[in-house]
Amino acid sequence: MTPEEVATYRAAARHRGEQEQRELAPREKRAWALARRAATLLRELFEAERVVVSGSLVHSGCFTPWSDVDIAAWGIQPYDTFRAMGMVMDIGAEIELNLVDVGTCSTSLLATIEREGVAL
């Protein structure tokens, strides 16, 4: 490829990336709204003491058209865990929401959630 062809290719790739980010912005905004709605539900119905969103949503540029929303909550009683998970999953039909059981997840996942998560 000539230097001009490389420059043209790079410019087109940059343009595509910028366009994808503009198109993705409403989905990311909706994901944050759903995460906040889940946090409210978890606090009100399951007495969660702390709710955190983690994963691709909290990392700029990582949320894609296929990304889900990962939520962790502390203070939910073990007997309510599966019901809470189901209710969180039912919140968003267009974007998958997943509730991490902080009582049973791996220590490495919990450490990542603690380190990178955003409190809601």
Side-chain angles (χ1 to χ4, degrees):
M1 292 181 82
T2 67
E4 293 81 18
E5 291 171 328
V6 171
T8 300
Y9 174 81
R10 286 183 178 158
R14 186 171 36 258
H15 177 72
R16 272 192 314 276
E18 291 167 356
Q19 180 66 27
E20 287 172 2
Q21 286 302 314
R22 281 191 299 275
E23 292 171 0
L24 192 56
R27 184 174 193 276
E28 189 171 341
K29 183 177 179 180
R30 177 72 177 140
W32 277 108
L34 292 170
R36 285 189 294 276
R37 190 166 154 201
T40 298
L41 177 139
L42 292 168
R43 283 192 189 93
E44 290 178 356
L45 297 181
F46 298 99
E47 299 178 358
E49 301 161 356
R50 179 176 173 218
V51 181
V52 171
V53 64
S54 63
S56 61
L57 188 57
V58 301
H59 297 287
S60 180
C62 292
F63 194 73
T64 71
W66 306 276
S67 292
D68 61 359
V69 176
D70 299 305
I71 298 170
W74 286 259
I76 297 174
Q77 296 300 315
Y79 56 81
D80 277 333
T81 300
F82 288 119
R83 194 165 64 96
M85 287 176 170
M87 290 183 85
V88 166
M89 282 190 232
D90 288 344
I91 288 174
E94 71 277 17
I95 300 173
E96 183 178 339
L97 279 81
N98 295 304
L99 178 60
V100 175
D101 183 353
V102 295
T104 62
C105 71
S106 69
T107 56
S108 61
L109 176 58
L110 187 57
T112 300
I113 292 168
E114 291 278 5
R115 184 177 61 253
E116 299 176 4
V118 174
L120 295 173

